[in-house]
Amino acid sequence: MSKARKSVLCWAALSPFLIVVLFPYLTMLSTALKQKDEIFTFHRSWLPREFYLGNFVELFVDRNFGRALVNSLTISVGATLLSLAVAIPAAYALTRMRVPGNSALTNYLLITQMISPIVLIIGLFRMFAYFGLINSLMSVIIAHSAFFMAFAVWMLKSYFATIPKDLEEAAWIDGASRFSAFVRIFLPLCLPGVVVTAIFTFVNSWNEYAMSLTLLRDVSQQTAPVQIAFLTGTLYQIEWHLIMAATLIASVPVAVVFASIQRYLIGGMSLGGVK
């Protein structure tokens, strides 16, 4: 069988799944480009009468959705960097050093992933209120990092275990310190795994709703998921034209992140599957 025929058969087999994946985005795009009175009509059509961009203008001008996107981006990037800053050395220590209670600590990290953040939301609110961090983006960054850090350590530990110790030992023989060997030899080899962990942490932080709603009280501090949820009750009606436009815009940063570092994502997933 020729390569072209195999490619056609593969795409034909994947086309149903592709339709299922793309259908929500096509629905969002179609609704976002329609005027309000065009959505709830008896004879609906996929294509709008005219491509109406007023929904996006209203979001950014009247609803201050651009500020919400900046807040979400600030929190997600900050939580990702803070989580990796702690998870990378922690995973390295659990993989390469003799840490007392290594197995128990690893199991504990796994158990923490079974606890929903909503269970601890009242305690988190009282703690951040005590330190005067309510209505501060830093409080959400710290809270997200605390919950996603265990996942990052667990992911990176499995990636780090695939790197042969001989490479570091060769660097030590050549006179490099442990830190120098870690930065120059070990970490570049683990870059795909670090990128995959960063992606999952970023996406989890970007989509998080409960902690952002609880810790951020000011309208100007709201994140994109919170502001999208508030659109469902505006003026005693569900403004689907604005919700679809906002959801479409909110999905763009995640899609850009996945597309820009796709090669690291594939390499990191294959690295974690080989022991």
Side-chain angles (χ1 to χ4, degrees), residues 74-90 128 137-150 152-153 156 197-198 201-202 205:
T74 302
I75 292 172
S76 300
V77 173
T80 301
L81 294 178
L82 183 57
S83 297
L84 291 180
V86 178
I88 290 176
F128 285 119
L137 297 183
M138 183 56 65
S139 64
V140 185
I141 291 175
I142 296 174
H144 285 187
S145 301
F147 277 98
F148 303 145
M149 197 176 299
V153 172
L156 291 174
T197 305
T201 305
F202 179 88
S205 179

Side-chain angles (χ1 to χ4, degrees), residues 62 110 118 130 178 208 225 245:
D62 298 334
L110 181 61
I118 198 65
Y130 177 81
R178 179 181 287 272
E208 199 280 326

Side-chain angles (χ1 to χ4, degrees), residues 35 56 99 236:
Q35 298 187 35
F56 299 96
V99 178
Y236 305 100

Side-chain angles (χ1 to χ4, degrees), residues 20-72:
V20 171
V21 171
L22 294 180
F23 182 78
Y25 293 95
L26 295 176
T27 303
M28 285 190 295
L29 180 61
S30 174
T31 308
L33 294 176
K34 291 180 180 179
Q35 298 187 35
K36 183 178 180 180
D37 58 354
E38 208 178 338
I39 298 175
F40 298 102
T41 57
F42 186 76
H43 299 287
R44 294 197 59 189
S45 62
W46 275 100
L47 295 177
R49 292 193 299 263
E50 59 178 350
F51 291 102
Y52 180 69
L53 300 178
N55 297 327
F56 299 96
V57 175
E58 182 177 351
L59 278 176
F60 285 97
V61 176
D62 298 334
R63 306 302 178 94
N64 201 22
F65 191 68
R67 179 64 181 177
L69 289 175
V70 173
N71 293 337
S72 290

